[in-house]
Amino acid sequence: MIQDVDHVMLLPLYAAAGTALLVLVVELAFGRFHLLAGMLGGLATAVVAVAVPAIVSARASEPLGPARFAGTLCRDDLCSWTVTPHAALMTVLFAGLTVGVLALSAPALRRGYAPPGEFSFLLTCAMTGGVVVAYAGDLITLIVGLETLTLPLYVLVGLRRVRESAQGAAAALTFFLVSVVSTAIALLGAALLYAATGALHLDALVAGAGVYAPLAAVGAALVLIGFAFKVAAVPLHAWAPATYDGAPVPVAAYLSTASKLGGVLALVAVVQRLDTGPLLAVLAALTMTVGNLVALRQTRMVRLLAWSSVAQAGYIIAPLAAGAAGVQAAYAYAVFFVLLEFVAFGVLVALRGPGSDGGDLEDYRGAGRRHRWLGAALVLALAGLAGLPPGLAGLFAKVAVVESLITSGYGWLAGVVALNAVIALAYYVRVGALLYATPALTSAAAAASSSAAPAVASAAPPATKSAPPPSEAAASLAVVDPVLLDEAVSSRPVVSRAVAAALVVAAVLVIAAGFAPQAIFDALNR
């Protein structure tokens, strides 16, 4: 059977795939300009994604919206590629996150921590997979897109020229093994759904099940479990903290935002058409509770954000328990979450410097005093994730989720969301307070004060009966003004222009979303 192909509708895919090819050609031809090519291609992909729905609507003289979509690669009324405003918005997010992560990675790549050509090519390939997920209209296209998004990340997690430890390789292997298992489970579920319904298109998954309805239910559960791996939902979450902490911080940012967004889109595509409400409600309650409780005990910054990301996944999938009625709330929360999470990881990259890991929580003590704008940006992100002002975007997202659950008859799950939001305050506030806490006497400060102690003793008048030992002098110097001493001896990483630009744009978007959240809701409701 020959299917008509509307190449205009496929333009976002062509732009994303063309970006990956452009980066590859630039690497082979010039050996430089990889980052520039990737960023320009990402921006072009976002522009094309916004333009295509307008072009399709103009040709049909009817606007696209929830009740109408356009598609290509169709059989009858079932299409494998669907053009909707939702798909355009998500493609813009994938492209923006790719450009942002390239900007965060620029300083480390310039210093040779990883091969820039391979890094940029793999990241733009992952963007291509995200675009396919956004527009997928059948299970096969959806799973292929999700794997195209995920496969390059296996390599990116462990892609380093300088290997200080085997942690990156172990994280990449863990991510690979878990993801392969999840893909096998999802494919088995898709096969069972096809056997029960005779269709793979998302709009025909339930039709025709008949006596095979139990088989279709098993297939739907397996597909749901396979996709739940991608969003790190409990009990399918164990890979996330180790992988995030072992990956370079910009790659961890991409895992926590774009990769999770792809998993959410896959879940939304399935659950709004299948009856999986009870299973999703249990998964959501477990995910947010376990994520928040374990985050309370973390001492490393990236692991804390990883467990926080697990809990946030629970908030995102909670409204999906209501099926199609909760899709808009889940989309809105996902949009706000990825913006806030990107700001948090971007500040970590700026504070820690190129090629450094996320460090321990104590490494951030007093960082807000030394770097006021970076501290303010991290507080904004943490407040948004906690659902507190000034992070109004996160507050409105949580309100949308709770309202959706109460309206759909899941009041008990709304109560679980509210309780977990209170639990999460403990570690978000702890990190925010640590940024402005009085600095402890660091090893550098101790060394500086110890070296200064003999000078103090030698400068004392000869008539002094006894001089304090150097250790006591050091302690007295540390007590007099620990903040001044910390500022004098602490290193101040230079924030590159690319990292600063990415942070500024992301922070502005977060603030704009907080003051005008209705624009996001309107875009998702079109």
Side-chain angles (χ1 to χ4, degrees), residues 444-480:
S449 57
S450 297
S451 62
V456 172
S458 61
T464 303
K465 293 183 179 179
S466 61
S471 59
E472 293 182 12
S476 64
L477 287 177
V479 171
V480 170

